[in-house]
Amino acid sequence: MTETQALDRERIRELFDLRSSYNQRMGGDFTADPYPVWHELRESGPVHEGTVHELTGYPGSAIFQGLPEPDRPHYSAFGHAALDAAYRNPEVFASSPDEVDPTGRTDVSNSMLSMAGDQHRRYRALVQPSFVPAKARWWITNWIERTVQELIDGFVADGRAELNVDFCAAIPLLTITGGFGMPPEQALEVRESLHDPMKIVQMLQPIVAARREAPRDDLISVLVEAELKEEDGGTHRLSDAEIYSFALLLLLAGSGTTWKQMGITITALLQRPELLQRVKEDRSLLRPATEEALRWMPTDPMFSRYVTRDVDFHGTRLPAGAVLHLCLGAANRDPSRWERPDEYDVTRTMRASFAFGGGPHICLGMHVARAEIATGIGALLDRLPGLRLDPAAEPPRFIGMYERGVTEIPVLFGQ
Ligand code: HEM
């Protein structure tokens, strides 16, 4: 048995099943289809007072970027033009209400996700070279391909599998922890500890120390060796504290999103057997199938910004200090940009969607995510003849409020 297959299946299920208690706080128990409501909201105005989940009719209290923030007024934008304007104006629509101190306590709020302007540019530039399209091969060869093949080895003889948890969930987690030089047996501990940064620090400490001694071909070595440009033109190597907040963001963003998007894409194809067959025969269709799934059903349909000064915005006066939630799920189905926006249509002319955000904070890991999805689905199509949904099992359902994905993907293959 390989290390990958030795991962504890029940622990993976508890951590990754969207209906589990671990995922409830992001609205994992939301089961309705939000898109009809989002269409109505967008049609009645591009910006509304309230949070996305309140306006959608989700009764729970959710935690996500810009939430809960009970002492601030909340607004939500639903139209494509409004989101585009907000992403392009980070001075007015900032990622954080406060100054970010990357040398402070280990927290995502002290990472580049929350930074602005020049500070954000300087920090992002340190890791950008490891995430450009030309680096996709580095990720595939070192981590993605092996993980994908070992996971399939684990169930190929069974003739059946549950692809959401037994396949999709493990791939991005093992890719990003592998990229950090962490062994597979530590991967689940990392995922479990993401809400407890000090535990992550404890795990990273020995790796950071070892890479300072002897760098390797991995991400921690990139961070250890990075030369940060200072405002006065000088440079410095990142401190341990700076590395920890950076690493926490990458572990969180790298392990939490792509598996759900992969599951959404696989489900969209399995629900359309003729299309699945076409993709199998013509692999160039895998890219539009993935991009269309990102537009049609982005796994994270909302991110938010803090309003830095009073502003008239698409017909609504937003006060300084308010939170503006950007419902990119709704904007991705704006009929002024996409015809028949509710249809999953891989033949439509591709236009950039907001699934990976927009503006200076656009997803750093999008090319890694695409490489994981392409390698994962490509390997399933290569190795599992007659791949189909199990007609006797409960069909997959799309669920979740701020973290969307599928319930389960029960499949059969072989004769
Ligand atoms: C399909 C999978 C993914 C989706 C849908 C996704 C989505 C997003 C979105 C919407 C943002 C913008 C957040 C904002 O505007 O505040 C973002 C930022 C980010 N993502 Fe991803 N992401 C994915 C995969 C990944 C992966 C695999 C990694 C790392 C390996 C990653 C790393 C990051 C980082 C570091 C940022 C912050 C960038 C910045 O602040 O400049 N993401 N992601």
Side-chain angles (χ1 to χ4, degrees):
M1 186 185 276
T2 65
E3 288 163 325
T4 305
Q5 291 157 18
L7 293 178
D8 180 339
R9 193 166 182 270
E10 282 317 305
R11 245 172 112 203
I12 302 188
R13 186 163 294 285
E14 175 55 25
L15 286 170
F16 285 95
D17 190 319
L18 288 174
R19 298 159 295 183
S20 72
S21 56
Y22 182 90
N23 290 306
Q24 292 262 321
R25 59 171 123 191
M26 275 80 74
D29 55 352
F30 179 79
T31 54
D33 176 4
Y35 285 95
V37 185
W38 290 349
H39 278 311
E40 277 171 31
L41 285 161
R42 194 188 42 242
E43 277 158 24
S44 62
V47 181
H48 293 260
E49 198 170 349
T51 67
V52 174
H53 70 272
E54 286 162 2
L55 291 161
T56 312
Y58 174 75
S61 58
I63 298 178
F64 203 70
Q65 195 193 30
L67 288 170
E69 297 279 14
D71 299 329
R72 294 176 184 275
H74 290 263
Y75 296 83
S76 299
F78 294 89
H80 186 276
L83 264 76
D84 196 41
Y87 279 129
R88 284 172 193 273
N89 192 351
E91 283 80 34
V92 177
F93 300 103
S95 295
S96 165
D98 308 307
E99 282 279 297
V100 173
D101 177 9
T103 62
R105 79 189 154 86
T106 304
D107 197 283
V108 172
S109 63
N110 278 331
S111 76
M112 71 170 147
L113 183 69
S114 305
M115 293 177 189
D118 183 54
Q119 186 188 37
H120 174 256
R121 268 189 296 280
R122 288 183 294 115
Y123 276 85
R124 182 161 166 141
L126 296 179
V127 283
Q128 186 82 47
S130 302
F131 290 90
V132 294
K135 267 283 178 178
R137 198 29 64 196
W138 180 72
W139 287 91
I140 292 172
T141 316
N142 285 328
W143 299 289
I144 304 173
E145 183 70 31
R146 199 188 68 173
T147 303
V148 161
Q149 296 301 340
E150 287 184 4
L151 287 167
I152 297 178
D153 290 342
F155 57 68
V156 67
D158 300 344
R160 61 171 61 239
E162 194 288 282
L163 295 180
N164 204 34
V165 165
D166 291 343
F167 186 67
C168 301
I171 297 169
L173 177 65
L174 291 172
T175 300
I176 194 72
T177 50
F180 271 45
M182 294 168 148
E185 56 273 19
Q186 211 172 36
L188 291 182
E189 210 183 325
V190 168
R191 180 75 188 158
E192 261 169 0
S193 310
L194 284 173
H195 301 296
D196 185 354
M198 287 329 290
K199 277 202 186 150
I200 297 285
V201 169
Q202 275 168 15
M203 286 184 249
L204 288 171
Q205 241 160 8
I207 305 174
V208 172
R211 298 302 184 273
R212 285 204 192 280
E213 286 290 311
R216 283 196 203 163
D217 189 21
D218 62 21
L219 265 189
I220 294 284
S221 304
V222 168
L223 292 173
V224 161
E225 298 212 289
E227 299 267 353
L228 181 77
K229 284 207 178 65
E230 285 158 25
E231 275 155 282
D232 63 7
T235 57
H236 80 257
R237 290 252 163 127
L238 294 183
S239 65
D240 285 6
E242 284 170 299
I243 291 178
Y244 295 147
S245 285
F246 228 125
L248 184 67
L249 169 66
L250 290 171
L251 288 169
L252 194 69
S255 72
T257 43
T258 315
W259 70 279
K260 291 177 284 142
Q261 196 66 47
M262 194 183 316
I264 289 168
T265 313
I266 292 172
T267 303
L269 293 174
L270 286 165
Q271 288 174 335
R272 296 164 180 78
E274 278 178 24
L275 175 61
L276 181 72
Q277 188 57 30
R278 277 172 51 213
V279 174
K280 193 177 160 131
E281 287 160 11
D282 176 2
R283 295 304 169 87
S284 70
L285 289 174
L286 194 47
R287 180 67 192 258
T290 305
E291 297 303 311
E292 175 66 348
L294 281 156
R295 178 198 71 80
W296 175 73
M297 193 77 73
T299 174
D300 291 354
M302 196 285 298
F303 279 88
S304 61
R305 294 294 185 264
Y306 293 84
V307 180
T308 59
R309 61 173 165 80
D310 293 355
V311 62
D312 286 317
F313 186 69
H314 290 257
T316 303
R317 181 89 178 148
L318 305 178
V323 183
L324 178 66
H325 302 280
L326 306 174
C327 185
L328 58 94
N332 275 4
R333 294 200 192 185
D334 190 330
S336 70
R337 188 167 168 88
W338 288 280
E339 281 175 21
R340 301 165 284 103
D342 291 323
E343 271 176 45
Y344 175 73
D345 176 3
V346 305
T347 65
R348 70 169 74 242
T349 308
M350 286 294 146
R351 305 185 74 185
S353 84
F354 288 128
F356 289 118
H361 288 273
I362 194 163
C363 179
L364 176 80
M366 62 185 163
H367 303 299
V368 179
R370 287 177 172 130
E372 289 171 337
I373 294 173
T375 310
I377 300 182
L380 292 177
L381 295 177
D382 286 341
R383 294 191 58 191
L384 307 179
L387 180 66
R388 59 201 182 276
L389 282 173
D390 179 351
E394 198 193 310
R397 283 176 296 118
F398 298 104
I399 59 165
M401 185 74 241
Y402 290 121
E403 301 232 320
R404 291 183 59 73
V406 284
T407 45
E408 293 190 358
I409 314 176
V411 292
L412 303 177
F413 41 87
Q415 300 315 309

